[in-house]
């Protein structure tokens, strides 16, 4: 059945969003070019892109709601339904899947009691939404989990489980790389183009990790770092291994998966030609 027109924002909310929207639109020579950041802006208000938000964007940019809807449904970073404070995305593309991404996703589904799609993706307390994500160009840190688009590298089912438990409990969680974690609404406002005003957040973003830069160093004729990761069972500083605390999220190099290379029951070996 046809839907009724979307309800308008309350007057005070609309006034605030309109002031922000005009600031965003002024950055572009053509107003319709501002659609993507405006969708992030309305998402920062409700935690997802509602019909009200799409109607607001259409009105300010002189577009039809169909044009706005076509864009909002194309990009996966826009939520179409209410979801959790923390979007936990598990990369299950080829390399991450081979390195344990599928196992991580299955473990988190079971641990959180959520499904693959729709409202079942979010925990009952509204804290965490679990989803598959496409490649995030971090294959050298596979398998990768992202929380509100911040990286958690070299994850395992165990470390990912501790991660979501910490999020639900309200404990401080530090990404492997990038700025400190914030809520999904706050992340959306930053993606809309507004500055991250948290002290030290911009400086904490940092650059690429050593695994990403080793090829560049070799191309320049530089000596590579002696080892990108510590040997299994050793810490980078040479200290003895220890039992992790609940706030630590160890990577696959610290807690290796039972893959063919390390599983005596499934040894790997050269593959012969067909018929041999």
């Amino acid at each position: 059945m046809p839907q009724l027109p979307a309800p308008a924002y309350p007057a005070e909310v609309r006034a605030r969003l309109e002031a922000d929207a005009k600031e965003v639109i002024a950055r572009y020579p053509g107003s319709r070019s501002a659609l993507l950041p405006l969708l992030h802006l309305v998402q920062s208000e409700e935690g997802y892109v509602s019909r009200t938000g799409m109607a607001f964007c259409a009105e300010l940019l002189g577009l039809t709601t169909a044009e706005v809807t076509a864009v909002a449904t194309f990009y996966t970073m826009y939520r179409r339904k209410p979801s959790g404070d923390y979007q936990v995305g598990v990369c299950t593309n080829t390399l991450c899947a081979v390195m344990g991404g599928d196992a991580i996703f299955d473990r988190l589904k079971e641990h959180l009691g959520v499904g693959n799609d729709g409202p079942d993706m979010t925990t009952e307390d509204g804290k965490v939404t679990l989803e598959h994500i496409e490649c995030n160009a971090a294959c050298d840190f596979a398998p990768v989990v992202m929380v509100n688009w911040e990286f958690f590298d070299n994850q395992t089912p165990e470390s990912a489980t501790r991660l979501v438990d910490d999020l639900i409990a309200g404990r401080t969680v530090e990404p492997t790389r990038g700025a400190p974690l914030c809520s999904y609404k706050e992340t959306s406002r930053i993606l809309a183009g507004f500055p991250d005003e948290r002290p030290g957040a911009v400086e904490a973003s940092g650059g690429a990790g050593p695994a990403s830069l080793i090829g560049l160093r070799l191309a320049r004729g530089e000596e590579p770092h002696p080892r990108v990761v510590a040997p299994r069972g050793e810490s980078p500083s040479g200290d003895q291994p220890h039992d992790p605390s609940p706030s630590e999220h160890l990577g696959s190099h610290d807690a290796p998966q039972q893959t063919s290379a390390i599983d005596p029951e499934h040894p790997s070996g050269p593959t012969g030609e067909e018929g041999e």
Side-chain angles (χ1 to χ4, degrees):
M1 295 293 292
Q3 291 181 305
L4 295 173
Y9 283 122
E12 66 278 8
V13 173
R14 181 183 173 88
R16 174 166 44 81
L17 287 177
E18 193 167 336
D20 288 340
K22 288 180 179 178
E23 180 180 338
V24 172
I25 293 170
R27 301 170 188 163
Y28 298 90
S31 63
R32 68 183 299 147
S33 298
L35 177 55
L36 295 182
L38 283 194
L39 287 170
H40 283 299
L41 176 63
V42 297
Q43 184 162 257
S44 73
E45 182 64 30
E46 299 179 84
Y48 71 108
V49 178
S50 65
R51 292 173 56 237
T52 298
M54 288 190 283
F56 173 83
C57 293
E59 179 183 344
L60 264 63
L61 298 177
L63 302 173
T64 65
T65 54
E67 289 174 311
V68 175
T69 301
V71 174
T73 56
F74 181 82
Y75 293 103
T76 58
M77 290 180 74
Y78 300 121
R79 307 261 67 81
R80 295 297 312 281
K81 296 178 181 178
S83 53
D85 296 330
Y86 298 102
Q87 302 283 326
V88 176
V90 181
C91 181
T92 53
N93 271 23
T94 306
L95 185 56
C96 278
V98 169
M99 296 294 288
D102 285 337
I104 291 172
F105 190 77
D106 290 341
R107 174 73 66 85
L108 292 183
K109 277 198 306 178
E110 179 182 358
H111 183 70
L112 296 171
V114 297
N116 277 354
D117 196 13
D120 292 339
M121 297 167 61
T122 302
T123 55
E124 291 183 0
D125 59 8
K127 291 282 188 179
V128 171
T129 295
L130 179 68
E131 62 179 350
H132 289 281
I133 52 175
E134 292 301 318
C135 180
N136 281 274
C139 300
D140 39 0
F141 298 102
V144 172
V145 173
M146 299 195 81
V147 181
N148 294 350
W149 310 116
E150 299 294 349
F151 285 100
F152 290 81
D153 301 324
N154 300 318
Q155 292 293 295
T156 67
E158 293 73 25
S159 66
T161 300
R162 290 195 299 271
L163 170 60
V164 296
D165 284 347
D166 283 351
L167 292 173
I168 291 172
R171 290 188 282 265
T172 299
V173 172
E174 295 292 338
T176 310
R177 296 172 284 134
L181 203 61
C182 59
S183 72
Y184 190 68
K185 290 182 179 181
E186 292 170 323
T187 300
S188 294
R189 183 169 177 82
I190 295 168
L191 291 172
F194 293 93
D196 188 344
E197 298 178 350
R198 295 174 297 160
V202 175
E203 292 78 9
S205 295
S212 302
L213 297 175
I214 190 168
L216 177 62
R217 288 174 178 156
L218 289 171
R220 289 174 173 173
E222 301 174 8
E223 288 294 324
H225 191 279
R227 190 164 181 96
V228 175
V229 297
R232 298 189 187 278
E234 296 182 17
S235 64
S237 61
D239 298 333
Q240 291 301 312
H242 65 284
D243 291 331
S245 66
S247 62
E248 288 183 291
H249 308 289
L250 300 181
S252 57
H253 304 296
D254 302 290
Q257 299 290 297
Q258 289 296 310
T259 58
S260 60
I262 61 173
D263 186 355
E265 297 181 1
H266 302 87
S268 60
T271 302
E273 296 291 335
E274 184 176 358
E276 292 185 357

